[in-house]
Amino acid sequence: MATTSRPGVSYVMPVLNEAGYVESAIRSVLEQDYRGPVEIVLALGPSSDGTRAIVERLAAADPRIRLVENPGMDIPIGLNLAIAACRNPVIIRVDAHTELAPGYTERGVADLERTGAATVGGIMVATGAPGFQAAAARAYNSRFGLGGGAYHGDDAKEGPAESAYLGIMHAGLLAEVGGFDETLRRGEDWELNYRLRQAGHIVWLDPKLRVTYWPRSTATKLARQFFATGVWRGELVRRLGARNPLRFFAPPLLVIATVLSVIAIPLHATGVLSGIVGWIAALVYLGPALYLVLLAVAGATSEGTPADRIRFASVIAIMHYSWGSGFLLGVVRGAGNAVDTSRTES
């Protein structure tokens, strides 16, 4: 039986077209053994796959679940609407594609109190059904796939961080910096943590806080998701410039080198590029060539059948090229009205 010996927590979850995942996500929250009052506030977008019926059924059966409408679908707006409806001093962000590990809430709130941080987050542990989704999960968990992000690997160290997955946050400090930026459609977590750090607060990473994440289940959906994420990261570079980590520039440089290589191949073959100019121009092949070596190493060192290994290497390429292409578009023209269609289109 929960007691009120711990501060109340409010889980906030943006939901759109998540019929296959949302019930498990909510169950993982309700099953947290937390010694304090809890509520779940769902920001419900205009789903077309039966998600609304699922969450309304769950809310009717449990008064801890409340719904707010998010007609515009944008995640930051939905998060702010949910946060505005919260009654408790601790806000915990969860996504409909995730499941919290047992003890997540108790440990996270203790971390928040122990460290004095504004927000605490943990590790994304991707998982997937056999086939493409499992390959995508392996790529998420591998430094070959999302290399550099502290919350994507088992070698993460506890301590202050640039960012952390999802977030267990002080409601007051969240309000102090203005909540999530509603002009963003992707990258809102990183941007919020950036503002918290700029305001002198601590973002704390605890790798013992683990969240299961279910990635997109098809190549098309994954490419759409990563392209949109790249576009919005490009928008953040336009806004913040060099204050973005250098690792974000690797995929777009790969895309540029690959495009230049495609242009250079026929020019070399026909002799248009020759002599010293040709040798200098041939340097553009180095990036794609090294990347092919990286994909080969990634596939060879991964687990599973030969088909699994090829699929894993292919997923990494989809991630990098989609993200890098989106990034370049975002830097050149801004994000505009770009959306992630991986949840709204089949």
Side-chain angles (χ1 to χ4, degrees):
M1 178 75 65
T3 70
T4 57
S5 62
R6 306 290 287 141
V9 300
S10 296
Y11 302 87
V12 294
M13 180 190 298
V15 180
L16 175 67
N17 288 333
E18 298 288 6
Y21 300 95
V22 67
E23 185 162 0
S24 294
I26 293 173
R27 295 292 181 201
S28 79
V29 171
L30 295 177
E31 292 170 1
Q32 292 288 299
D33 184 16
Y34 181 69
R35 298 175 292 115
V38 302
E39 65 176 353
I40 309 173
V41 183
L42 307 180
L44 186 58
S47 299
S48 58
D49 67 346
T51 294
R52 176 176 290 273
I54 295 171
V55 298
E56 287 179 345
R57 169 174 55 82
L58 294 172
D62 194 320
R64 292 174 294 177
I65 303 172
R66 296 191 291 123
L67 309 181
V68 297
E69 297 295 331
N70 181 28
M73 301 188 298
D74 290 345
I75 290 175
I77 294 176
L79 287 168
N80 285 342
L81 287 170
I83 291 166
C86 290
R87 302 163 176 159
N88 294 318
V90 176
I91 305 295
I92 301 182
R93 176 176 176 174
V94 287
D95 283 347
H97 250 62
T98 64
E99 296 172 19
L100 303 183
Y104 177 91
T105 303
E106 187 70 34
R107 182 177 179 91
V109 173
D111 281 344
L112 204 63
E113 296 175 332
R114 172 176 60 87
T115 64
T119 181
V120 172
I123 299 295
M124 171 198 285
V125 183
T127 190
F132 183 86
Q133 192 179 43
R138 286 198 297 275
Y140 266 95
N141 296 331
S142 168
R143 286 200 173 272
F144 286 116
L146 299 180
Y151 55 78
H152 290 293
D154 286 333
D155 57 348
K157 306 298 183 184
E158 182 175 5
E162 168 196 311
S163 191
Y165 189 48
L166 299 178
I168 300 168
M169 300 166 275
H170 281 291
L173 296 180
L174 189 59
E176 178 185 298
V177 298
F180 288 92
D181 186 339
E182 295 184 1
T183 68
L184 297 174
R185 285 178 169 158
R186 304 290 296 179
E188 69 282 348
D189 287 335
W190 186 91
E191 192 278 339
L192 172 64
N193 287 329
Y194 170 80
R195 281 186 286 119
L196 286 168
R197 289 187 289 108
Q198 290 297 108
H201 300 300
I202 296 172
V203 175
W204 191 266
L205 174 65
D206 181 354
K208 291 186 178 180
L209 293 172
R210 304 179 75 83
V211 181
T212 298
Y213 172 78
W214 294 84
R216 301 300 187 260
S217 58
T218 69
T220 300
K221 289 182 178 181
L222 188 72
R224 288 172 179 166
Q225 178 192 21
F226 271 74
F227 182 81
T229 303
V231 168
W232 284 99
R233 175 54 61 180
E235 172 68 24
L236 283 174
V237 166
R238 287 170 65 96
R239 298 185 188 190
L240 302 177
R243 287 168 288 186
N244 287 268
L246 290 177
R247 68 175 183 277
F248 291 145
F249 296 88
L253 289 175
L254 171 64
V255 172
I256 292 172
T258 302
V259 171
L260 292 177
S261 296
V262 171
I263 295 172
I265 287 173
L267 298 179
H268 275 114
T270 57
V272 174
L273 291 176
S274 60
I276 187 65
V277 174
W279 281 106
I280 294 173
L283 293 175
V284 300
Y285 302 136
L286 185 60
L290 291 175
Y291 186 68
L292 286 174
V293 172
L294 180 145
L295 291 179
V297 171
T301 56
S302 66
E303 300 177 352
T305 66
D308 291 331
R309 298 182 181 195
I310 293 172
R311 194 179 291 115
F312 173 62
S314 300
V315 165
I316 291 175
I318 290 170
M319 287 179 167
H320 291 166
Y321 276 99
S322 299
W323 198 96
S325 299
F327 179 96
L328 292 171
L329 183 63
V331 166
V332 170
R333 75 170 195 187
N337 293 321
V339 297
D340 175 9
T341 61
S342 67
R343 296 182 300 153
T344 57
E345 299 178 13
S346 58

